[in-house]
Amino acid sequence: MGTYKALKGQRVNSLSSDPAADADSSGRMWYNTTSNALKYTGAGTGAWSSGEDMSTARNNAQGAGTSGSAFLACGGYASWPSTGLSTMEIYNGTSWTGGNNINGGRFKGAGFGSISAAIIVCGAKPYPTTTTSCEDYNGTSWTEVNNANNAKTNIAATGSISSGIMPCDADCEFWNGTCWTDVNTLNEDRESTSMCGSGTSALCINGSASTTDVEQWNGTCWTEIANNSNGRTKGVSGGTPEGCVLASGSAGGYPFNYVESFNGTAWSAAPATTQIRQSPVGDGSAASLITAGGYTAPPSDTYLSSCEEWSKPVYAARTVTVS
C-alpha cells in the first residue's frame, strides 16, 4: 500500500490548528494535535441560493453570461400564444436592470457570450416562423449580423463572440466571429439540449427525447462520452468539458429540479434547485451558474420570473474517518 508521501509528495505535518481551507490546500492532510485527529481539506457539494426575480416572467428566452452574477436574458414569452418578447434584462448578482431591446420578439433560440459581447441566433421570430436571424450585442445595443445557414428552433449553443458552436438534430454550425459554417454533426440527432464550453471545446448534453447521451466537441468532430443519470430536455448548464453543472429541465414533459455535476470523467448528483422548472434561461461556470425563468407546466401552466444561483463548493477542514 502506498503512503501519503509517496502518493502526494507531501509529509503529514503535525499542527496545533487547522490551516486555511481553500482551493490551493485541497487534498492537503495534517494531524491536529489539539483535537488529536487526522484531517484534510476537502470541497463541499456546492449550494443554490435565491436571487432577485426578473422584471418579466420569461419562458424559452435566450441568454448569455460567464457566471451567475454576470448574465443577460432576452426575448422569450410571458403568455401564449405570443409573437415573443423583445426586451432584455441584465443581472449583476443582486438585481436585474433593463437594457436595449433585441430586434424583434424571439424565443426558443440560442444565446452565448458575455454581458458585454453576446450572440443570439435562430428560434421563432415570430411564431410560427423559424428564423436564421443572428444578432450581436456590444454591451450597449443589438445589431443584425450574418444569418445562420439553417433555420432551427428548440436549440442551445455555447462559445464566445468570436467562436461558437450550435448543434441541432442533423445540423451543426460554427460561428467564427463573422459568419456561420456547417460542420460535423452530432452522433445522435436531437434538439432541446444543454450546452457548455467554448466554440472549440464543448459539451452537448441530453435533449429530446430525454436522452442521457452526452457528446464532446473538440473543434472538429463530436465524440460520445459518459452518459449522465437524469436524461432531460430544456435544461441549462455551465462550465467546460473538464467540469460543469447541469440543472433544471424536464423529462416526458414534466419539469424537475435534479442537478448533476461533471468532473471531466463522470457525472454525480448535486444539490437540487428549490424551484422545479423547465425551459429556463441560464449559463455560467461550474463554480457560478444561474437558472432563471421558464415554466412549471404541467399540471399548472405557470410562467416564472424567479432565479437561483449556484455557488462553488465550500472548502473546509474535514476529519478522516475509518469505517
Side-chain angles (χ1 to χ4, degrees), residues 24 38 77 80 83 86 105 107 118 126 145 158 174 184 197 207 213 218 243 254 268 271 273 282 314 316:
D24 291 336
L38 185 63
Y77 58 89
W80 191 257
T83 57
S86 60
F107 56 90
V145 292
T158 191
F174 175 80
N184 286 319
D213 185 75
N218 65 4
Y254 288 86
S268 59
T273 58
V314 176

mmCIF file of all heavy atoms in Angstrom, residues 24 38 77 80 83 86 105 107 118 126 145 158 174 184 197 207 213 218 243 254 268 271 273 282 314 316:
data_model
loop_
_atom_site.group_PDB
_atom_site.id
_atom_site.type_symbol
_atom_site.label_atom_id
_atom_site.label_comp_id
_atom_site.label_asym_id
_atom_site.label_seq_id
_atom_site.Cartn_x
_atom_site.Cartn_y
_atom_site.Cartn_z
ATOM 1 N N ASP A 24 -6.345 26.026 -3.019
ATOM 2 C CA ASP A 24 -4.913 25.734 -3.039
ATOM 3 C C ASP A 24 -4.536 24.627 -2.059
ATOM 4 O O ASP A 24 -3.553 23.908 -2.284
ATOM 5 C CB ASP A 24 -4.110 26.989 -2.722
ATOM 6 C CG ASP A 24 -4.194 28.037 -3.826
ATOM 7 O OD1 ASP A 24 -4.468 27.649 -4.973
ATOM 8 O OD2 ASP A 24 -4.026 29.230 -3.519
ATOM 9 N N LEU A 38 -6.674 13.181 12.563
ATOM 10 C CA LEU A 38 -6.076 13.283 11.233
ATOM 11 C C LEU A 38 -7.083 14.007 10.337
ATOM 12 O O LEU A 38 -8.246 13.604 10.246
ATOM 13 C CB LEU A 38 -5.772 11.889 10.682
ATOM 14 C CG LEU A 38 -5.043 11.824 9.339
ATOM 15 C CD1 LEU A 38 -3.657 12.453 9.448
ATOM 16 C CD2 LEU A 38 -4.947 10.381 8.859
ATOM 17 N N TYR A 77 -41.132 34.379 -24.004
ATOM 18 C CA TYR A 77 -42.523 34.839 -23.966
ATOM 19 C C TYR A 77 -43.090 34.666 -22.576
ATOM 20 O O TYR A 77 -42.636 33.830 -21.790
ATOM 21 C CB TYR A 77 -43.383 34.129 -25.013
ATOM 22 C CG TYR A 77 -43.430 32.618 -24.929
ATOM 23 C CD1 TYR A 77 -44.376 31.957 -24.152
ATOM 24 C CD2 TYR A 77 -42.543 31.838 -25.677
ATOM 25 C CE1 TYR A 77 -44.438 30.583 -24.097
ATOM 26 C CE2 TYR A 77 -42.591 30.459 -25.632
ATOM 27 C CZ TYR A 77 -43.537 29.830 -24.850
ATOM 28 O OH TYR A 77 -43.583 28.456 -24.795
ATOM 29 N N TRP A 80 -49.176 32.760 -23.782
ATOM 30 C CA TRP A 80 -49.321 32.034 -25.047
ATOM 31 C C TRP A 80 -50.756 32.117 -25.549
ATOM 32 O O TRP A 80 -51.664 32.006 -24.742
ATOM 33 C CB TRP A 80 -48.910 30.564 -24.862
ATOM 34 C CG TRP A 80 -48.782 29.853 -26.174
ATOM 35 C CD1 TRP A 80 -49.656 28.974 -26.731
ATOM 36 C CD2 TRP A 80 -47.719 29.997 -27.107
ATOM 37 N NE1 TRP A 80 -49.217 28.554 -27.949
ATOM 38 C CE2 TRP A 80 -48.017 29.174 -28.205
ATOM 39 C CE3 TRP A 80 -46.546 30.756 -27.127
ATOM 40 C CZ2 TRP A 80 -47.186 29.079 -29.322
ATOM 41 C CZ3 TRP A 80 -45.722 30.653 -28.229
ATOM 42 C CH2 TRP A 80 -46.039 29.823 -29.299
ATOM 43 N N THR A 83 -45.997 36.403 -29.947
ATOM 44 C CA THR A 83 -45.016 36.637 -31.002
ATOM 45 C C THR A 83 -43.621 36.767 -30.421
ATOM 46 O O THR A 83 -42.651 36.919 -31.153
ATOM 47 C CB THR A 83 -45.356 37.928 -31.781
ATOM 48 O OG1 THR A 83 -45.414 39.027 -30.872
ATOM 49 C CG2 THR A 83 -46.698 37.779 -32.490
ATOM 50 N N SER A 86 -39.284 41.240 -26.895
ATOM 51 C CA SER A 86 -38.072 41.845 -27.447
ATOM 52 C C SER A 86 -37.220 42.507 -26.359
ATOM 53 O O SER A 86 -36.125 42.992 -26.636
ATOM 54 C CB SER A 86 -38.421 42.884 -28.516
ATOM 55 O OG SER A 86 -39.224 43.910 -27.958
ATOM 56 N N GLY A 105 -39.316 40.361 -31.409
ATOM 57 C CA GLY A 105 -39.549 39.261 -30.489
ATOM 58 C C GLY A 105 -38.957 37.957 -30.995
ATOM 59 O O GLY A 105 -39.005 37.656 -32.193
ATOM 60 N N PHE A 107 -38.009 33.683 -29.486
ATOM 61 C CA PHE A 107 -37.932 32.692 -28.415
ATOM 62 C C PHE A 107 -37.515 31.342 -28.968
ATOM 63 O O PHE A 107 -37.546 31.114 -30.177
ATOM 64 C CB PHE A 107 -39.261 32.581 -27.641
ATOM 65 C CG PHE A 107 -40.467 32.261 -28.487
ATOM 66 C CD1 PHE A 107 -40.851 30.950 -28.725
ATOM 67 C CD2 PHE A 107 -41.239 33.279 -29.025
ATOM 68 C CE1 PHE A 107 -41.963 30.656 -29.480
ATOM 69 C CE2 PHE A 107 -42.368 32.998 -29.784
ATOM 70 C CZ PHE A 107 -42.730 31.677 -30.012
ATOM 71 N N ALA A 118 -22.206 39.423 -26.868
ATOM 72 C CA ALA A 118 -23.050 38.236 -26.950
ATOM 73 C C ALA A 118 -23.615 38.040 -28.350
ATOM 74 O O ALA A 118 -23.660 38.960 -29.170
ATOM 75 C CB ALA A 118 -24.185 38.329 -25.936
ATOM 76 N N PRO A 126 -41.482 35.891 -35.794
ATOM 77 C CA PRO A 126 -42.285 35.485 -34.625
ATOM 78 C C PRO A 126 -42.856 34.092 -34.855
ATOM 79 O O PRO A 126 -42.681 33.526 -35.942
ATOM 80 C CB PRO A 126 -43.402 36.529 -34.646
ATOM 81 C CG PRO A 126 -43.606 36.791 -36.107
ATOM 82 C CD PRO A 126 -42.235 36.715 -36.734
ATOM 83 N N VAL A 145 -26.413 40.672 -37.719
ATOM 84 C CA VAL A 145 -25.187 40.250 -38.391
ATOM 85 C C VAL A 145 -25.515 39.071 -39.302
ATOM 86 O O VAL A 145 -26.677 38.754 -39.519
ATOM 87 C CB VAL A 145 -24.090 39.891 -37.364
ATOM 88 C CG1 VAL A 145 -23.614 41.133 -36.625
ATOM 89 C CG2 VAL A 145 -24.581 38.841 -36.358
ATOM 90 N N THR A 158 -23.090 27.410 -27.487
ATOM 91 C CA THR A 158 -22.129 27.865 -26.490
ATOM 92 C C THR A 158 -20.914 28.454 -27.180
ATOM 93 O O THR A 158 -20.639 28.154 -28.345
ATOM 94 C CB THR A 158 -21.701 26.709 -25.552
ATOM 95 O OG1 THR A 158 -20.972 27.216 -24.442
ATOM 96 C CG2 THR A 158 -20.836 25.689 -26.277
ATOM 97 N N PHE A 174 -20.862 26.376 -36.961
ATOM 98 C CA PHE A 174 -19.794 27.016 -36.184
ATOM 99 C C PHE A 174 -19.755 28.504 -36.522
ATOM 100 O O PHE A 174 -19.791 28.899 -37.684
ATOM 101 C CB PHE A 174 -18.449 26.364 -36.506
ATOM 102 C CG PHE A 174 -17.278 27.043 -35.843
ATOM 103 C CD1 PHE A 174 -16.973 26.805 -34.512
ATOM 104 C CD2 PHE A 174 -16.472 27.927 -36.556
ATOM 105 C CE1 PHE A 174 -15.895 27.437 -33.901
ATOM 106 C CE2 PHE A 174 -15.390 28.560 -35.959
ATOM 107 C CZ PHE A 174 -15.102 28.317 -34.627
ATOM 108 N N ASN A 184 -19.252 19.222 -38.770
ATOM 109 C CA ASN A 184 -19.682 17.859 -38.453
ATOM 110 C C ASN A 184 -20.810 17.837 -37.429
ATOM 111 O O ASN A 184 -20.794 18.586 -36.453
ATOM 112 C CB ASN A 184 -18.497 17.036 -37.933
ATOM 113 C CG ASN A 184 -17.527 16.660 -39.032
ATOM 114 O OD1 ASN A 184 -17.923 16.301 -40.123
ATOM 115 N ND2 ASN A 184 -16.230 16.754 -38.747
ATOM 116 N N GLY A 197 -19.204 25.262 -22.525
ATOM 117 C CA GLY A 197 -17.859 25.218 -23.066
ATOM 118 C C GLY A 197 -17.612 26.331 -24.056
ATOM 119 O O GLY A 197 -18.263 27.382 -24.024
ATOM 120 N N GLY A 207 -31.176 16.166 -24.264
ATOM 121 C CA GLY A 207 -32.047 16.606 -25.343
ATOM 122 C C GLY A 207 -33.137 15.600 -25.620
ATOM 123 O O GLY A 207 -33.246 14.554 -24.969
ATOM 124 N N ASP A 213 -27.665 10.840 -23.282
ATOM 125 C CA ASP A 213 -26.480 10.921 -24.128
ATOM 126 C C ASP A 213 -25.740 12.248 -23.950
ATOM 127 O O ASP A 213 -26.359 13.310 -23.860
ATOM 128 C CB ASP A 213 -26.898 10.755 -25.594
ATOM 129 C CG ASP A 213 -25.704 10.696 -26.519
ATOM 130 O OD1 ASP A 213 -25.043 9.656 -26.547
ATOM 131 O OD2 ASP A 213 -25.440 11.700 -27.212
ATOM 132 N N ASN A 218 -14.495 18.753 -30.099
ATOM 133 C CA ASN A 218 -13.070 19.089 -29.983
ATOM 134 C C ASN A 218 -12.626 20.122 -31.008
ATOM 135 O O ASN A 218 -11.426 20.324 -31.218
ATOM 136 C CB ASN A 218 -12.217 17.823 -30.110
ATOM 137 C CG ASN A 218 -12.319 17.175 -31.488
ATOM 138 O OD1 ASN A 218 -12.972 17.693 -32.396
ATOM 139 N ND2 ASN A 218 -11.676 16.028 -31.645
ATOM 140 N N GLY A 243 -15.278 20.286 -16.386
ATOM 141 C CA GLY A 243 -16.068 20.494 -15.181
ATOM 142 C C GLY A 243 -17.280 21.349 -15.473
ATOM 143 O O GLY A 243 -17.128 22.477 -15.950
ATOM 144 N N TYR A 254 -42.530 16.709 -18.079
ATOM 145 C CA TYR A 254 -42.706 17.087 -16.672
ATOM 146 C C TYR A 254 -41.410 17.687 -16.130
ATOM 147 O O TYR A 254 -40.349 17.064 -16.211
ATOM 148 C CB TYR A 254 -43.116 15.879 -15.837
ATOM 149 C CG TYR A 254 -44.528 15.439 -16.108
ATOM 150 C CD1 TYR A 254 -44.809 14.565 -17.163
ATOM 151 C CD2 TYR A 254 -45.586 15.916 -15.336
ATOM 152 C CE1 TYR A 254 -46.112 14.175 -17.431
ATOM 153 C CE2 TYR A 254 -46.901 15.525 -15.594
ATOM 154 C CZ TYR A 254 -47.149 14.659 -16.642
ATOM 155 O OH TYR A 254 -48.441 14.283 -16.916
ATOM 156 N N SER A 268 -22.089 13.096 -11.270
ATOM 157 C CA SER A 268 -22.552 12.792 -9.921
ATOM 158 C C SER A 268 -23.682 13.732 -9.545
ATOM 159 O O SER A 268 -23.801 14.836 -10.087
ATOM 160 C CB SER A 268 -21.406 12.914 -8.909
ATOM 161 O OG SER A 268 -20.863 14.222 -8.924
ATOM 162 N N PRO A 271 -26.726 19.080 -5.187
ATOM 163 C CA PRO A 271 -27.935 19.593 -4.549
ATOM 164 C C PRO A 271 -28.943 20.136 -5.565
ATOM 165 O O PRO A 271 -28.575 20.841 -6.506
ATOM 166 C CB PRO A 271 -27.404 20.715 -3.644
ATOM 167 C CG PRO A 271 -26.018 20.290 -3.320
ATOM 168 C CD PRO A 271 -25.504 19.655 -4.572
ATOM 169 N N THR A 273 -32.153 22.237 -7.202
ATOM 170 C CA THR A 273 -32.677 23.594 -7.109
ATOM 171 C C THR A 273 -33.960 23.579 -6.278
ATOM 172 O O THR A 273 -34.613 22.545 -6.136
ATOM 173 C CB THR A 273 -32.988 24.162 -8.501
ATOM 174 O OG1 THR A 273 -33.923 23.304 -9.160
ATOM 175 C CG2 THR A 273 -31.725 24.271 -9.336
ATOM 176 N N GLY A 282 -30.244 30.265 -18.753
ATOM 177 C CA GLY A 282 -29.169 30.209 -17.779
ATOM 178 C C GLY A 282 -27.829 29.943 -18.419
ATOM 179 O O GLY A 282 -27.750 29.511 -19.572
ATOM 180 N N VAL A 314 -17.817 24.850 -1.092
ATOM 181 C CA VAL A 314 -17.106 25.487 0.015
ATOM 182 C C VAL A 314 -16.034 24.531 0.529
ATOM 183 O O VAL A 314 -16.316 23.375 0.839
ATOM 184 C CB VAL A 314 -18.083 25.848 1.140
ATOM 185 C CG1 VAL A 314 -17.325 26.424 2.326
ATOM 186 C CG2 VAL A 314 -19.133 26.831 0.631
ATOM 187 N N ALA A 316 -13.435 23.104 3.264
ATOM 188 C CA ALA A 316 -13.453 23.028 4.722
ATOM 189 C C ALA A 316 -12.492 21.956 5.217
ATOM 190 O O ALA A 316 -12.153 21.020 4.476
ATOM 191 C CB ALA A 316 -14.868 22.724 5.209
#
